[in-house]
Amino acid sequence: MAAISYYASVLAIFACIYSIVTLGLNIQWGFSGILNFGVYAFVAIGAYTYALFTLGKPIPGASQTYILGLHLPFVVGLAAAAAAGGIVAWVLGAVALRRLRSDYLAITTIAFSQILWLIAGNETWLANGWDGVSGVPQPFNGLLKLSFNDYNFFFLGLSLVILVLVVWLAQLLLRAPFGRILRAVREDELVVESFGRNIASLKLRAFIIGAVLASIGGAMLAAYVGAFNPSAFLAGETFFVWAALLIGGSGNNWGAILGAVLVPVVFTEGTRFLPNIPSNPQLIEAFRYVIIGLLLILTLKFRPQGIIPERSDRFERAARRNRRLRSTPVPVDDAGEPPSA
Amino acid sequence: MSILLLSIGFGLITASVIAIAGVGLSLQFGVTNFVNFAYGDFMTLGMYLTLILGTALGLSVYAALPIVIVCTGLAGVLVNRLVLDSFVRKGANPIILLISTIGVSLIIQSGLLAVWGAQFQKFSLGPSQPLHLGPFIFTPRQLSILGLAVVAMVVIHVLLRYTRLGKAMRAMSDRRTLARVVGINTTWLTDWTWFISTAMAGLAGVVLAINIASFTPSTGFGFLLVIFAAVIVGGIGKPYGAMLGALIIGVITSVAASYMDSAYKDAVAFGVLILVLLVRPQGIFASRGRG
């Protein structure tokens, strides 16, 4: 029994962390239509910053080399991680969001993520290179001195508190005028621009908020696992978050959370009964990614709004009707494609 | 000086690989108007097909090449028909198509991983004696890559300039609606575009594997950004631009690799990519060479 509840608590902690990251992506893609393929770059920035702020000074001659090692408490580490993610997103977004169309932005964010990955791996002095940092202290356990099992539940509580705060913020954003303008930007940038709004600045703010949430998720990941290395932020991880958001339902926070809970559970539990083949240890893991890829395509094909669709209220429905009316006279050819601009 | 010339020589070989891949990617973007993120995985598919043909039928890499090219080409048509075509018919946003190619990429890459695992694979190629050609040193293997690239570029050039299909492709990437109005059969055109594009990917994958000697299921995906860099430098959707972009990226990365830590070879390409996107997103040669 204890084993099962322990296992459930581990899954729940990962679900909380994934939810935070996915909610961040939802603000970028779901609210504002920003195609960020560098989600895990920000998770990594958060994780490394947290680790470097909370670890003690590196011992000369020991197996790890890294900078800082400030030995600061959890809350400071978390705040530093959030700040680092926000600052990097601000710089990247300020140069990239203003000029680039969506597909170029996607390529730029992947390229940025790859450069970061190469630096994290090759610069051993920075954060121990390819081996990564380990031994990141468990938050508050210096004071609490809980058993392994109890600490797990304590950490679950901590993750839930942070998740609730994040959900509250995301819901606030969804309903606020700012959130409405973001969705208007997603639907039609030209219209918002014609009302005198600065599109680049709106998108930049959404990008920064999303990146801060991803970094907080990264910090929680490093705090829980106690380690982080470059193999934890390959491109596959980013697409995992994307799959979670799109399957759960983008544009609404509950869809994002559902996806973040469902996709990893399906991922780890759905293949539980497959036999493990010793000659190919990656078989199960690979098989899971095949399933994620299939789910992603099937969702886009048969239920593009995701499991929980975005709530469209009276005004939005009216707006959609207007758009349909407006678009009727536009000639549409046999493939149903309007003429490209 | 000799180091510079030597690295330019190596750059030419890298450029050959990128050029084959870049032209295929650019051709597809020009006609269908969305970015194919699974392109690198079609390259990897080509590598593993060559491996199968080598172990099962005992075919040498070069003998297997025509079969591999046709197979990856057909795989592209299959993916288009099974996955992408219905989105296009519904008039889906190009971004949705882009995201679904990521699904395709996950499936191909992880499918290969499931069968072969992550260990490095190698083609059985004999030893290759380096030849001194003026200031350059090439192995016959590298020269064969160069030769294949030249042949591929000539074939694509002839296709685009002198065949009905090629003219239709150029028309489609120039003015989509106009091309439809004059009665170009889009189903026929997209099928052929996918065939040619992913066949080029298969060829590019094999020459990449010859050039870097070993590969894993993620090699093609890892190379994708380098191809993007070349394609975007040349102006996306413009095959002739992609050839020039390949030359620039190939030479820049090779020269950079000989003067700095070679681990950052790809980072240089990504840096150039980001720089070009920010300064001149339409590509350096936008005014010339309509592909």
Side-chain angles (χ1 to χ4, degrees):
Chain A
M1 195 58 215
I4 292 173
S5 65
Y6 171 75
Y7 178 65
S9 73
V10 173
L11 271 187
I13 289 169
F14 278 112
C16 284
I17 295 172
Y18 267 121
S19 296
I20 295 169
V21 177
T22 312
L23 284 165
L25 180 63
N26 191 30
I27 290 169
Q28 294 173 336
W29 167 251
F31 289 16
S32 338
I34 299 169
L35 203 58
N36 177 14
F37 279 180
V39 176
Y40 254 72
F42 293 99
V43 172
I45 289 169
Y48 277 124
T49 309
Y50 176 83
L52 296 179
F53 270 68
T54 53
L55 277 166
K57 278 260 167 278
I59 305 145
S63 56
Q64 291 197 75
T65 51
Y66 49 84
I67 54 165
L68 299 176
L70 300 176
H71 200 68
L72 289 164
F74 170 75
V75 180
V76 182
L78 196 66
I87 291 166
V88 174
W90 181 54
V91 174
L92 181 69
V95 287
L97 280 168
R98 199 172 21 187
R99 323 195 30 151
L100 299 181
R101 3 182 275 226
S102 293
D103 44 1
Y104 286 1
L105 183 70
I107 294 170
T108 307
T109 47
I110 288 203
F112 165 75
S113 175
Q114 286 297 307
I115 292 173
L116 209 68
W117 182 76
L118 283 170
I119 293 171
N122 287 303
E123 303 302 318
T124 312
W125 56 272
L126 199 64
N128 209 31
W130 298 111
D131 292 333
V133 286
S134 56
V136 180
Q138 294 180 310
F140 304 113
N141 211 20
L143 294 163
L144 295 165
K145 306 211 186 314
L146 291 171
S147 75
F148 187 67
N149 225 330
D150 290 342
Y151 182 77
N152 218 49
F153 285 101
F154 168 76
F155 198 92
L156 176 59
L158 185 69
S159 322
L160 277 172
V161 168
I162 292 171
L163 177 61
V164 166
L165 284 173
V166 168
V167 171
W168 176 72
L169 177 91
Q171 280 295 99
L172 210 66
L173 203 66
L174 187 72
R175 297 205 192 98
F178 176 58
R180 279 204 297 276
I181 298 171
L182 285 181
R183 274 171 292 160
V185 169
R186 179 192 68 186
E187 294 299 322
D188 199 331
E189 288 191 12
L190 227 56
V191 169
V192 181
E193 207 162 17
S194 69
F195 277 95
R197 293 282 179 168
N198 184 346
I199 306 282
S201 137
L202 286 166
K203 280 182 156 182
L204 179 60
R205 275 183 274 166
F207 188 64
I208 292 172
I209 296 168
V212 166
L213 293 189
S215 303
I216 290 173
M220 294 298 288
L221 197 64
Y224 181 61
V225 180
F228 200 82
N229 67 47
S231 73
F233 70 110
L234 295 168
E237 306 290 334
T238 290
F239 297 138
F240 198 86
V241 179
W242 268 93
L245 178 62
L246 294 172
I247 292 167
S250 61
N252 81 89
N253 295 321
W254 307 117
I257 294 173
L258 179 70
V261 174
L262 212 60
V263 170
V265 170
V266 169
F267 199 72
T268 47
E269 290 300 297
T271 49
R272 163 169 292 268
F273 302 105
L274 287 176
N276 224 330
I277 296 166
S279 64
N280 188 350
Q282 286 99 0
L283 180 68
I284 306 270
E285 171 100 4
F287 196 70
R288 287 169 179 164
Y289 272 105
V290 173
I291 293 175
I292 297 289
L294 274 174
L295 274 178
L296 187 63
I297 291 171
L298 292 174
T299 305
L300 287 174
K301 205 163 201 149
F302 297 110
R303 204 176 161 77
Q305 68 273 43
I307 299 173
I308 304 178
E310 184 179 357
R311 189 177 144 270
S312 61
D313 56 41
R314 216 147 44 92
F315 300 106
E316 283 172 331
R317 273 202 297 277
R320 205 164 296 155
R321 208 162 44 234
N322 281 338
R323 199 161 58 238
R324 257 206 305 281
L325 287 174
R326 203 180 56 200
S327 67
T328 340
V330 175
V332 174
D333 58 21
D334 53 349
E337 195 194 63
S340 54
Chain B
M1 194 57 203
S2 69
I3 292 177
L4 181 67
L5 282 173
L6 265 182
S7 56
I8 289 174
F10 288 131
L12 285 177
I13 306 302
T14 316
S16 304
V17 180
I18 305 172
I20 300 172
V23 167
L25 184 73
S26 216
L27 213 54
Q28 174 265 326
F29 183 90
V31 173
T32 62
N33 205 23
F34 62 86
V35 181
N36 176 14
F37 266 83
Y39 192 78
D41 303 290
F42 282 103
M43 292 173 69
T44 323
L45 205 60
M47 299 174 200
Y48 280 87
L49 274 171
T50 311
L51 199 68
I52 299 174
L53 289 169
T55 47
L57 302 174
L59 289 179
S60 77
V61 173
Y62 297 101
L65 205 51
I67 308 174
V68 170
I69 291 171
V70 173
C71 286
T72 50
L74 289 176
V77 176
L78 193 73
V79 165
N80 175 43
R81 283 295 179 95
L82 280 179
V83 181
L84 305 166
D85 196 42
S86 65
F87 288 111
V88 176
R89 274 173 205 288
K90 273 193 287 185
N93 188 330
I95 301 306
I96 297 300
L97 281 149
L98 186 159
I99 298 172
S100 48
T101 62
I102 286 187
V104 174
S105 161
L106 284 176
I107 294 170
I108 298 177
Q109 203 177 325
S110 316
L112 293 172
L113 185 67
V115 179
W116 277 277
Q119 59 266 45
F120 284 95
Q121 306 285 346
K122 264 179 138 96
F123 293 151
S124 51
L125 293 161
S128 207
Q129 286 300 319
L131 305 167
H132 290 261
L133 298 172
F136 303 124
I137 302 172
F138 290 121
T139 62
R141 212 175 281 161
Q142 289 174 321
L143 289 176
S144 76
I145 294 172
L146 202 61
L148 281 168
V150 170
V151 171
M153 293 310 110
V154 170
V155 168
I156 291 292
H157 174 70
V158 170
L159 174 91
L160 287 175
R161 288 287 144 185
Y162 303 109
T163 68
R164 199 179 135 68
L165 175 66
K167 286 175 185 165
M169 283 176 165
R170 286 191 289 143
M172 192 75 170
S173 58
D174 252 18
R175 288 277 184 280
R176 303 176 73 69
T177 26
L178 199 59
R180 285 165 192 270
V181 164
V182 299
I184 289 172
N185 180 346
T186 46
T187 314
W188 164 80
L189 184 65
T190 20
D191 275 350
W192 271 108
T193 303
W194 277 99
F195 182 84
I196 295 165
S197 167
T198 52
M200 294 287 278
L203 173 63
V206 175
V207 294
L208 175 66
I210 295 173
N211 195 32
I212 61 176
S214 60
F215 54 93
T216 70
S218 58
T219 302
F221 189 82
F223 199 64
L224 185 64
L225 279 174
V226 179
I227 306 169
F228 278 151
V231 166
I232 286 167
V233 166
I236 195 161
K238 299 184 173 64
Y240 294 105
M243 297 178 194
L244 275 168
L247 202 61
I248 292 172
I249 294 293
V251 171
I252 285 180
T253 52
S254 294
V255 170
S258 58
Y259 288 99
M260 58 189 276
D261 189 347
S262 66
Y264 289 115
K265 192 180 167 191
D266 286 351
V268 172
F270 306 158
V272 173
L273 165 71
I274 294 176
L275 206 69
V276 169
L277 277 179
L278 295 178
V279 178
R280 206 174 156 77
Q282 68 274 43
I284 295 179
F285 312 105
S287 52
R288 299 191 270 140
R290 279 219 141 164

